[in-house]
Amino acid sequence: MAAEAAVSRATGARRVVLITGANSGIGLALCERILSEDNQIHLCMACRNMQKAEAAKSELQLTHPGADISLLKIDVGNIHSVIQAAKEIRQRYQHVDYLYLNAGIMPNPRFNLKAFLSNLLSRKVFIMFQTGQGLLTQEDWLTDDGLQQVFMTNVFGHFLLIRNLEPVLGQAGCTSQVVWTSSSNARKSAFNLTDYQHSQGQESYSSSKYATDLLSVGLNKHYNSKVADSCIHKLVYSEPLQWNRSIGLVVHSEARVTGPNGEIP
């Protein structure tokens, strides 16, 4: 509790930016970009592997001396870990200004010989050769909580985090923004509402990213109807997952998930 109180005092009037999956890839590049734009913020790096988080923090402090950075342990693929982390965040901060939901997993794709042979004799053969759709399959597995791992990590874990952080998001007079990392690989064709965990499908990653887009729309409507100072965006990137840290962050059309009619761009 003493450490939490110290963090709370240190943040003071600083804006609080919390990023999940912040120790590598897009998350780490995002940390660097934000600190380059504003070194007066308090940055909370929420990560699963604390050893890697410590290394990433040290790297950031080399390029941004004096940066106000703290670490938080969270595994968005585990319900208990998410709830515990949310509790710690509420104890540390009176308000979270920016919440970046970036952590996620993408199972290694494998060539689907059965689908390839099947599509050769169907009308899908032209689409298959044009887009590669259906040629790759992704293996998924169950978590200890009984949920599909990709769905839990990419979708439900972050949804649970948002709901548990409501007391420190979008308070009267204080704007909160939630940015959920989406993907150009989010395809409606991969998502099925009757199998939203994608336990019966072979494109769990695409399904999960489309699900986050749908959730973003719903959450935006939900929170904006209650608290004027809330906004949920999506950050879109393209596969393959290559990141040029000298270029920095690219946000798709500064894309707010909802247009005037709540549509997905």
Side-chain angles (χ1 to χ4, degrees), residues 246-258:
S246 65
I247 296 176
L249 177 65
V250 178
V251 179
H252 180 69
S253 302
E254 192 63 33
R256 182 166 181 166
V257 171
T258 55

Side-chain angles (χ1 to χ4, degrees), residues 180-201:
W180 206 332
T181 302
S182 183
S183 168
S184 61
N185 201 30
R187 293 199 306 271
K188 183 178 181 179
S189 60
F191 181 79
N192 187 336
L193 193 58
T194 62
D195 182 27
Y196 54 84
Q197 291 195 50
H198 209 70
S199 60
Q200 306 300 317

Side-chain angles (χ1 to χ4, degrees), residues 142-187:
L142 287 178
T143 68
D144 293 338
D145 299 307
L147 300 173
Q148 294 296 133
Q149 183 69 65
V150 176
F151 171 80
M152 175 66 211
T153 305
N154 295 358
V155 185
F156 189 67
H158 280 134
F159 172 76
L160 192 63
L161 181 63
I162 294 173
R163 295 308 302 266
N164 278 271
L165 291 184
E166 286 184 351
V168 293
L169 291 174
Q171 299 170 341
C174 298
T175 299
S176 287
Q177 291 190 5
V178 180
V179 181
W180 206 332
T181 302
S182 183
S183 168
S184 61
N185 201 30
R187 293 199 306 271

